[in-house]
């Protein structure tokens, strides 16, 4: 039998950490209150996030919202909100997610101070962040005593399975979703059982089939919203498989957040591995990551167009945005089969006229409903193909400027280690 | 303006040829009649085929059916039919299509003598050949004077476009279909216009949408039958395109049955071209051809399984069955991505257990709903892959015996010419 108490203890904040968070949040809240009082601003501090719900793991952050009266304009709320943030949190930086906020540190604890509007259950939401306060209220009202640690257990399990976190880079389950799951099914083991038995999409409550996402978990404070929308198909699959494996063999290894660095061997795979690198734009991961994915998709498209047969990839964002692509071939063939229009449309005649003159390597000829032609091109390597074709595609606001200066790196053969290669070669289910 | 009369004349039988066919068919019919009389067999000779309908092109054959009274058994009809055939046609060979028949020559004219049952319009068909007599009667009743040459023109056009002939190897339009088309639309040009305007399937009459084939032409003597069932999608596309091109520019080149031998250049396409050869079984093309296609499909399947990326092929049947396959690669990669089961099914756990032990080159990992693993194999060339995998597949009754002795020929680099390479390199729309 697993010693759940020990597992929870290992990853929960110590009494000391709890007190420290308590002190800091009280102090910051008090500062906000007095600032508002002195400046006659109708706004109140609200501690939100996992700490406020007693579902936090150790080494967590603090999230403190400043809830403005709804009579203020959005501009006022944002502008004054930032001012209050700076006043109560020295040396804070301004950040921008859906709204601007400030982020800083006190005594080593990261604190985000986020202005928002105060809303009540059922009221029309004004901004996405406004909901957070309701989430905290809902969870605190619904959770019974023992369930806080059930939630911690679920979070540890999900972290260990690599599916925890709703940021785009992870596309997994958020802390709030963990809370909703335990509220819905009662305990950690019931949640695991549920995932191990689920076929296809995960939907709760199960009559809500109108959403497209693989995971649908209706947000009780805004019942038109899917709180599980961020979860990717891969992460649902991982969670199902992890749950099945755990049901079969309840083992401590399912609660291991830190992984030992594996000494990954870079094998020769007989394929072509290239790393494409651009500087990381000064934006949050949630902004950069989708653009990195689009860069990867674009590189795949180009390589597919010239039949280099890309087969796998890895994305790694650090100081750089790096995309690794493995393809079956390093050079394009001399012959490309070009599919022309179907004979039913008038363009077919144009296509025929163009290629019948003898400039084709073969054809035109017909397969099924379409005309085809084989054309001869000089064989081109990946680098040349990418450089000559990348400008046809838009990769996204912040990466487009780097399109013409992509660094293209061969897989090093001299033992040089790269994080993205470590990731690629150690790819496994739950990392 | 095209001189249609000249075109028709060029490919129609001369008066001399007509007389010769007339004489031979009269003579053979008379012999059949007297044989039946002498042996008290209730059967009559029926001249069928294009000669009997005056829609034949020059250098054609004769088809003479022996129509037995329906009171006979099938065995009797077939047995006595062959006997009569041998009696009236010395040195004839027995052949087998849907039924046995004899085939021989008199004065250089090829003659098929085919036993069948005599049926009337609307009577339940007994064998496929029984219908031929009704086809002849129907066409002769419906055709008006000038239409015989309209049919000849259509046949010449279709031969020139490479779409004439319902045998499996061609999968095109039969002579009977040409006759039905002219009867339906009145003239050669109306038929061409119709094809040039057709989008999607060709259906006549147009309310008969229950057939799956690209071309549906209801047989008026058996209205549950599609007389156009043999036509492949490619040949319908070719006929549409040829018709469009002809409508744009009425040119004599659309009526050129004989093509000058082109001096095809065997280019280096930077791909891998192999020819697979087995002896031709002693069966008709209609039996052998589908098996050759299955051999091609099997080779494609094997090459696809190991990611050799087959891209094009050619089939050529002469003394051998030859399959040419062009692929992007000559050797398999070392790394193969193996797609495992979806995580929703129990096998997923087995797959996971099997590969997690460390024998995989990478993984297992998850993409979408499935588990995958990369496995390392020794790179294998096409020959080795085909030889080790071909026995998993059934190619067909007559080719299976050659599975283990397939000759695999590299594309010759020394200028040696092969018919199949000529076909491959000169591939064009209307050949």
């Amino acid at each position: 039998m697993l010693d759940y108490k020990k597992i929870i203890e290992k990853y929960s904040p110590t009494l000391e950490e709890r007190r420290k968070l308590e002190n800091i949040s009280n102090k910051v809240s008090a500062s906000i209150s007095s600032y508002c009082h002195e400046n006659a601003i109708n706004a109140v501090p609200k501690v939100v996030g996992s700490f406020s719900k007693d579902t936090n793991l150790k080494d967590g952050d603090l999230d403190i919202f400043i809830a403005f009266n709804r009579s203020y304009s959005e501009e006022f709320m944002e502008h004054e909100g930032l001012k209050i943030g700076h006043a109560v949190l020295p040396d804070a930086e301004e950040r921008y997610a859906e709204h601007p906020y400030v982020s800083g540190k006190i005594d080593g604890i990261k604190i985000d101070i986020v202005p928002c509007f105060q809303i009540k259950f059922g009221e029309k939401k004004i901004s996405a962040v406004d909901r957070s306060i309701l989430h905290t209220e809902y969870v605190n009202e619904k959770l019974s005593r023992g369930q806080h640690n059930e939630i911690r257990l679920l979070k540890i399990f999900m972290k260990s399975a690599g599916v925890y976190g709703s940021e785009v880079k992870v596309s997994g389950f958020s802390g709030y979703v963990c809370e909703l799951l335990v509220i819905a099914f009662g305990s950690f083991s019931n949640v695991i059982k549920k995932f191990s038995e689920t076929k296809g999409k995960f939907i709760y409550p199960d009559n809500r089939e109108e959403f497209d996402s693989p995971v649908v978990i209706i947000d009780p404070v805004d019942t038109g919203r899917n709180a599980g929308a961020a979860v990717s198909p891969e992460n649902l699959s991982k969670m199902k498989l992890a749950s099945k494996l755990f049901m079969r063999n309840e083992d401590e290894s399912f609660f291991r957040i830190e992984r030992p660095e594996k000494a990954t061997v870079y094998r020769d795979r007989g394929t072509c591995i290239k790393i494409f690198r651009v500087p990381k734009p000064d934006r949050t991961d949630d902004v950069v990551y989708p653009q990195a994915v689009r860069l990867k998709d674009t590189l795949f498209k180009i390589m597919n167009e010239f039949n280099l047969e890309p087969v796998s990839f890895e994305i790694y964002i650090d100081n750089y945005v790096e995309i690794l692509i493995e393809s079956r071939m390093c050079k394009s063939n001399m012959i490309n089969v070009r599919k022309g229009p179907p004979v039913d449309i008038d363009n077919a005649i144009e296509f025929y006229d163009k290629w019948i003159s003898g400039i084709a390597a073969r054809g035109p000829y017909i397969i099924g409903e379409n005309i085809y032609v084989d054309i001869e091109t000089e064989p081109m390597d990946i680098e040349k193909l990418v450089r000559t074709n990348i400008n046809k595609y838009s990769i996204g606001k912040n990466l487009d400027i780097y399109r013409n200066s992509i660094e293209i790196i061969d897989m090093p053969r001299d033992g040089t280690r790269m994080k993205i290669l470590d990731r690629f070669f150690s790819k496994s289910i739950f990392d």
Side-chain angles (χ1 to χ4, degrees), chain A residues 126 157 291:
Chain A
I126 297 175
F157 183 90
Q291 296 186 40

Side-chain angles (χ1 to χ4, degrees), chain A residues 154-173 231-232 234-239 242 253-259 423 428-431:
Chain A
L154 182 59
K155 286 183 178 180
I156 298 164
F157 183 90
M158 284 187 169
K159 279 202 168 188
S160 173
V163 301
Y164 183 76
S166 61
E167 59 271 30
V168 180
K169 198 170 163 179
V170 178
S171 296
F173 298 81
V231 184
S232 67
E234 275 79 11
N235 280 330
L236 172 58
S237 296
K238 286 182 193 179
M239 185 60 190
S253 68
F254 290 94
F255 301 96
R256 213 166 279 154
I257 297 181
E258 315 85 0
R259 271 157 219 282
R423 280 173 77 107
S428 64
I429 294 189
F430 303 121
D431 287 347

Side-chain angles (χ1 to χ4, degrees), chain A residues 358-369:
Chain A
I359 53 170
R362 199 166 71 119
Y365 53 91
I366 282 179
I367 298 175
E369 281 76 39

Side-chain angles (χ1 to χ4, degrees), chain A residues 378-390:
Chain A
E378 202 190 321
M380 289 207 282
D381 63 17
I382 291 179
E383 175 145 4
K384 199 163 174 191
L385 286 173
V386 168
R387 299 226 185 278
T388 50
N389 288 283
I390 192 84

Side-chain angles (χ1 to χ4, degrees), chain A residues 400-422:
Chain A
D400 273 351
I401 45 167
Y402 300 121
R403 269 182 307 190
N404 291 313
S405 55
I406 297 177
E407 206 182 330
I408 303 178
I409 304 163
D410 283 331
M411 185 179 133
R413 300 275 171 190
D414 60 357
T416 307
R417 303 208 58 94
M418 292 177 73
K419 283 271 184 208
I420 195 166
L421 286 168
D422 288 345

Side-chain angles (χ1 to χ4, degrees), chain A residues 22-36:
Chain A
E22 191 74 45
N23 281 338
I24 296 173
S25 77
N26 286 343
K27 225 170 68 184
V28 173
S29 297
S31 307
I32 293 171
S33 292
S34 56
Y35 184 104
C36 292

Side-chain angles (χ1 to χ4, degrees), chain A residues 7 26 147 183 206 222 310 327 345 360 385 399 427:
Chain A
I7 292 165
N26 286 343
Q147 287 183 318
I183 292 170
D206 56 16
D222 181 356
S327 59
I345 70 169
L385 286 173
L399 287 193
K427 190 178 183 68

